Structures are given as C-alpha cells and as structure tokens.
Amino acid sequence: MPALQQPYEPMEKEGLLVSYPVRGGVRIWKGALVCVDSTGYLVPASDTANLRFVGVAFESVDNQDGANGDKKCRVIKRGTFVYHRAGTFSQSDIGVVVKAASDNEVSKTTTNNIAVGTVVELPSNTTVRIRIDNHTV
C-alpha cells in the first residue's frame, strides 16, 4: 500500500476493551491477568515461555469444553489494578516493572519475565497496585 495521498479514515476504536478468542480447555476468571499464547489464543497469565500480556479479563469465560476460539473474552487494556505479590516489596519499588507469576500474582523477577505492569502503590502487606498501560500488546 502506497503512502497516503488523500485523507484516510482509519476507523479508530478507543481500544479500552478488546475481545480475544479463548484457548480450548481454558477457563478465564473475571479480573485475571491474561495473555495470548504463541498461537494467539487467550490464556490466564503465568510464568510460561512465549506468552504475551494483553490485559485484565473484563468477564469470566469458560471454554474448558470448547475448541480454540469457540468463546471470546473481553479484556481491559489500561488502568490500575490490585494483585497479590510474590516476594518482598518496599516503598522504594514504586515504578518497578513487575512480571506475571500467575493470573493473580506478580513478582519483581520470574523465570520468563512476562511484564504485566508498573508498581504504583502498595495497598497492603500482601498486595500491589499496578498500572498495566504500556505493558499490553
């Protein structure tokens, strides 16, 4: 496609919620950190190779008895969310990028280092508030 030579309507969508096809045999819970796997299907976040973080599940979807893509799940692409934390965190960790340990737990370091957000607050001794903007694909 050549460079534009006249106005073009790119059909902009806000992109706050994006729908992804869910991998067969998978259940996604509302509020879960979610990723797409190497084949492009939505799965719960985990410390697993070849996952790409896409956001937070807006709804629960059960595709445990379905094939790849039989169901879709809407995913929130930006904002701040509270998750459990693995490892030690302190106030000096504000601004640190955290990685997925599971669909409900983040850590400063993991084996596969799947970045899911930036620490913005430590609401309790067991949780961390993260901003996912700029970490979703």
Side-chain angles (χ1 to χ4, degrees):
M1 177 81 39
L4 291 176
Q5 309 227 343
Q6 62 187 18
Y8 170 71
E9 179 54 56
M11 298 178 275
E12 188 265 339
K13 287 171 72 174
E14 183 176 311
L16 176 59
L17 283 179
V18 176
S19 183
Y20 290 89
V22 177
R23 181 170 190 76
V26 167
R27 175 184 285 152
I28 305 284
W29 293 107
K30 177 181 180 177
L33 295 165
V34 289
C35 297
V36 290
D37 64 12
S38 61
T39 62
Y41 290 100
L42 195 68
V43 296
S46 64
D47 186 17
T48 303
N50 301 315
L51 295 183
R52 294 178 303 274
F53 179 64
V54 293
V56 173
F58 180 74
E59 59 200 343
S60 294
V61 174
D62 187 348
N63 197 28
Q64 288 182 312
D65 296 327
N68 290 345
D70 278 357
K71 295 192 178 177
K72 291 188 173 188
C73 180
R74 292 177 293 168
V75 174
I76 303 167
K77 304 296 283 183
R78 65 177 185 235
T80 68
F81 303 88
V82 175
Y83 290 99
H84 293 278
R85 58 189 191 189
T88 304
F89 282 76
S90 68
Q91 191 63 29
S92 65
D93 290 318
I94 300 298
V96 167
V97 174
V98 291
K99 285 76 173 184
S102 73
D103 63 352
N104 189 38
E105 188 175 43
V106 298
S107 180
K108 290 186 278 185
T109 60
T110 60
T111 301
N112 293 288
N113 290 319
I114 298 159
V116 296
T118 303
V119 176
V120 296
E121 181 185 6
L122 303 173
S124 77
N125 290 334
T126 60
T127 62
V128 61
R129 180 175 291 278
I130 62 171
R131 176 169 293 283
I132 65 168
D133 307 38
N134 302 322
H135 295 284
T136 64
V137 295

